[in-house]
Amino acid sequence: MLSRILFALTLLCTALPGLAQEQAYAEQSIYDKPLMERYVLDELKTLRTDQQDLERRLIIQITDRELAVADKSLNYANVTVTYFFYIIAGVASLIAMIGWQSLRELRTNTKKMADQQLKNADEKLQEIAESYEMKFQALERELKRKTRNISENNKEIERINEVHNLWLRAQSAQTSEQKIEVYDEILKIRPGDLEALTYKADAAMGIQEFHWALSLCNRVLEVDDTNAHALYQRACAYARLGVEEQAISDLERAIVGGESLRELAAEEADFETLFGNERFDLLIKSGDN
């Protein structure tokens, strides 16, 4: 019984540090925890290492195959020369038996046979060399394609990191002018980014540039006419410019795309001119029902 109690106390002491560590990790800020970009960079590093291993293995295989081809060529030449000398020995025996009368004919035939053997050997070597050359070219093209893909992925990861940092800067910016500057930097990296244009329109509303905000929203809606955020910002701009019916129409379309915008519209300062409008009030109250 005493041994069981001591074993339970030991397990409890061992588990307490792990629980404290998990609780400390859970209480950390999200900015102190590893991000997805770190995971992507680690994967990229692994991919680079695999690429280098692939190149090293290919070089070893190519060298081994070249040595094998050279060895086969030397062996083939050695066998050919050996057979050639056997033929000469046989011819000499025939000359001794038949006589010197047919020496010229035997010499001519021997030369033709040797030339034919060498020609066949050259043709086979040429075929082998062409076959390996085609394989090497295919491997080279594949390596170039993979290298190009890795380079493009590196550039895209750099752009993603830079855009992510800019979004963090925009969230911490104190004034609308500072936010607009950050959104302009994002648009330089990703021209035509709909989300950046929409948030830029929101910042433009903050500095009373209603026509500018309206123009930015129109640019977004030309590409995506169901963008709820852009419709909401354009409704705010129309409301500030006194175009009430168009503002309400855009707000209706925005709420269809995002129901949470109904509650936001009920407290939106840009819609002060619409308070009391029967159509606007009905649109806001329908969410409560």
Side-chain angles (χ1 to χ4, degrees):
M1 186 66 175
L2 181 59
S3 61
R4 292 182 180 179
I5 295 174
L6 291 175
F7 180 74
L9 290 175
T10 303
L11 290 179
L12 181 60
C13 293
T14 305
L16 285 177
L19 294 174
Q21 185 176 3
E22 292 180 358
Q23 184 176 6
Y25 179 81
E27 293 176 356
Q28 290 180 355
S29 171
I30 188 172
Y31 298 106
D32 296 332
K33 296 180 180 179
L35 299 177
M36 183 60 66
E37 288 79 2
R38 180 60 190 176
Y39 172 78
V40 174
L41 291 174
D42 290 341
E43 289 294 319
L44 180 59
K45 181 178 178 181
T46 303
L47 184 60
R48 285 177 175 172
T49 304
D50 293 341
Q51 179 70 20
Q52 293 175 354
D53 292 339
L54 176 61
E55 291 179 356
R56 185 172 63 255
R57 290 196 301 271
L58 285 175
I59 292 172
I60 293 172
Q61 291 179 3
I62 290 170
T63 304
D64 292 340
R65 291 179 182 178
E66 289 178 349
L67 292 173
V69 170
D71 183 67
K72 290 181 180 178
S73 301
L74 291 174
N75 186 44
Y76 189 83
N78 184 35
V79 171
T80 302
V81 173
T82 302
Y83 287 161
F84 180 71
F85 282 108
Y86 283 152
I87 292 171
I88 292 176
V91 169
S93 300
L94 289 174
I95 290 173
M97 293 174 64
I98 296 173
W100 297 95
Q101 192 73 23
S102 58
L103 179 59
R104 182 176 297 177
E105 183 179 354
L106 289 174
R107 185 177 62 183
T108 303
N109 292 335
T110 302
K111 183 179 180 181
K112 289 182 179 179
M113 187 179 296
D115 292 340
Q116 185 64 33
Q117 291 289 336
L118 291 174
K119 183 179 179 181
N120 293 337
D122 291 339
E123 290 178 354
K124 290 183 179 180
L125 288 174
Q126 184 67 23
E127 292 177 358
I128 293 172
E130 291 177 354
S131 175
Y132 278 104
E133 183 178 1
M134 293 177 62
K135 291 180 180 179
F136 294 155
Q137 289 177 354
L139 288 173
E140 184 179 3
R141 288 193 297 269
E142 183 67 16
L143 287 174
K144 288 181 178 180
R145 184 184 65 81
K146 290 184 177 180
T147 302
R148 185 169 56 254
N149 291 339
I150 291 172
S151 178
E152 292 175 356
N153 290 335
N154 286 338
K155 292 179 181 178
E156 182 62 22
I157 289 173
E158 290 176 358
R159 287 194 293 267
I160 290 173
N161 289 335
E162 189 173 357
V163 170
H164 177 72
N165 292 332
L166 289 173
W167 279 112
L168 293 177
R169 280 180 53 193
Q171 292 177 2
S172 61
Q174 301 297 323
T175 64
S176 298
E177 290 84 354
Q178 294 175 347
K179 292 182 179 180
I180 290 174
E181 292 178 358
V182 177
Y183 297 144
D184 287 337
E185 293 183 20
I186 294 175
L187 291 171
K188 288 180 182 179
I189 300 173
R190 295 186 180 277
D193 189 297
L194 300 184
E195 187 176 5
L197 288 171
T198 305
Y199 277 94
K200 185 177 178 180
D202 188 12
M205 291 291 296
I207 59 175
Q208 307 298 315
E209 292 289 345
F210 307 127
H211 289 284
W212 188 17
L214 183 63
S215 175
L216 292 171
C217 292
N218 288 334
R219 286 176 59 186
V220 176
L221 294 172
E222 286 176 359
V223 180
D224 181 11
D225 60 353
T226 61
N227 191 300
H229 193 186
L231 288 168
Y232 183 88
Q233 293 299 328
R234 192 170 73 171
C236 294
Y238 275 133
R240 286 293 189 178
L241 294 172
V243 188
E244 296 183 358
E245 293 302 319
Q246 185 62 45
I248 296 174
S249 297
D250 283 348
L251 182 59
E252 289 176 344
R253 293 175 59 193
I255 292 174
V256 171
E259 186 63 28
S260 62
L261 296 175
R262 190 191 306 273
E263 298 179 0
L264 184 62
E267 301 177 358
E268 181 62 61
D270 291 330
F271 293 143
E272 291 180 354
T273 58
L274 300 180
F275 293 154
N277 185 299
E278 182 179 355
R279 185 181 171 191
F280 176 79
D281 293 341
L282 181 63
L283 178 64
I284 299 303
K285 291 179 181 179
S286 60
D288 298 335
N289 295 335

